[in-house]
Amino acid sequence: MARWKDPAPNELVYVIGDIHGCVDKLGALLDVIDDDMARNGTGTLVFVGDYIDRGAHSADVLAFVSQMTASHPDQFIALMGNHERMLLDFLANPTGPAQRWLQHGGLETLASFGLTFAAGRGAAFDGALRDTADALTEVIGASLMTWLSTLPLSWSSGDLWVVHAGADPVVAMEDQRADTLLWGADGFLKSERRDGQWVAFGHRPFDKPLARKGRIACDTGAVYGGPLSAARIAPGGGVRFLSV
């Protein structure tokens, strides 16, 4: 088994957990991070994905995060989460299995863009799905659609990797499957990695963030009433958490 030393990224890193439309908590957390950087120097901010769904302000969160990554691409990194993937799959084929997105927070995302879903039956239901996908594609716009569809699945620095949901512990990080990074792996929380790599992730809400044996959990259920949290990971300085 790997001997777990503190993670050693090449720079100061802040890994921000699942936002899910909680724009006010995002603003408050970024204020805390700004204060920390004022004392310790500029760091890289990495968002683990799941900007949308369930919360009331998905459109605002997407607009803000996409703007920051465009304006400061070396400092702000946005990864894809499974909820962004579900949205894109719905827009590509709204009458197929991806229509499940509507029941997993998609209705709240539609509302944040000023849209609703009027369900019918049979052919009318399929027509409503297609109309909804067309309307959402139009209101999102080509630029934001391109941003969403090209979000990376991982980011790394030193021995630190950031992904959305986890990583197969017996597969090299460079060889992870996309669905594993987006949805997780059964053995991720049970088995230690043998390569000594640390994996920071969101996706699964924890009561408190944690850093243990190569895993750094950053999702503390902001959309369910918990805080929004970020892991502060410094080169050789260990891990501590900032929450609002």
Side-chain angles (χ1 to χ4, degrees):
M1 292 293 183
R3 183 172 174 230
W4 293 108
K5 300 179 181 179
D6 286 343
N10 297 326
E11 67 242 70
L12 175 62
V13 180
Y14 300 87
V15 182
I16 298 172
D18 302 35
I19 303 166
H20 282 302
C22 297
V23 71
D24 291 342
K25 291 182 181 180
L26 174 60
L29 180 59
L30 292 177
D31 286 343
V32 172
I33 292 173
D34 282 344
D35 289 343
D36 189 82
M37 289 194 295
R39 295 189 299 272
N40 298 285
T42 300
T44 299
L45 282 69
V46 187
F47 299 90
V48 302
D50 279 11
Y51 313 107
I52 62 171
D53 297 349
R54 300 193 174 116
H57 301 286
S58 294
D60 293 336
V61 172
L62 284 180
F64 176 81
V65 175
S66 63
Q67 179 182 1
M68 296 309 294
T69 57
S71 301
H72 308 282
D74 295 330
Q75 185 182 7
F76 289 83
I77 310 296
L79 304 183
M80 182 178 290
N82 66 302
H83 281 261
E84 287 75 52
R85 184 70 265 164
M86 285 194 291
L87 165 63
L88 292 169
D89 290 345
F90 171 77
L91 295 178
N93 184 16
T95 60
Q99 65 184 260
R100 63 177 179 162
W101 171 68
L102 294 172
Q103 281 71 51
H104 290 275
L107 294 176
E108 290 85 348
T109 295
L110 288 175
S112 76
F113 281 99
L115 300 174
T116 58
F117 174 67
R121 294 184 179 181
F125 180 72
D126 285 352
L129 289 169
R130 294 189 188 97
D131 290 345
T132 299
D134 290 344
L136 184 55
T137 299
E138 181 175 357
V139 74
I140 287 176
S143 178
L144 188 53
M145 282 293 298
T146 298
W147 182 82
L148 280 166
S149 62
T150 57
L151 290 172
L153 298 179
S154 67
W155 179 87
S156 65
S157 177
D159 63 2
L160 172 68
W161 287 78
V162 186
V163 303
H164 176 64
D168 191 324
V170 300
V171 175
M173 289 304 300
E174 297 86 349
D175 299 328
Q176 296 286 325
R177 292 168 51 94
D179 60 346
T180 299
L181 299 177
L182 288 171
W183 295 92
D186 288 341
F188 175 60
L189 296 178
K190 302 174 184 176
S191 303
E192 294 182 34
R193 301 197 65 81
R194 296 180 180 273
D195 56 11
Q197 301 294 292
W198 281 80
V199 180
F201 66 102
H203 186 64
R204 182 187 301 236
F206 286 76
D207 290 337
K208 296 181 180 180
L210 62 88
R212 183 173 181 269
K213 294 184 177 180
R215 294 172 287 254
I216 303 172
C218 302
D219 181 8
T220 46
V223 76
Y224 300 115
L228 181 63
S229 296
R232 180 191 187 277
I233 310 163
V239 183
R240 65 181 178 88
F241 296 98
L242 309 172
S243 299
V244 297

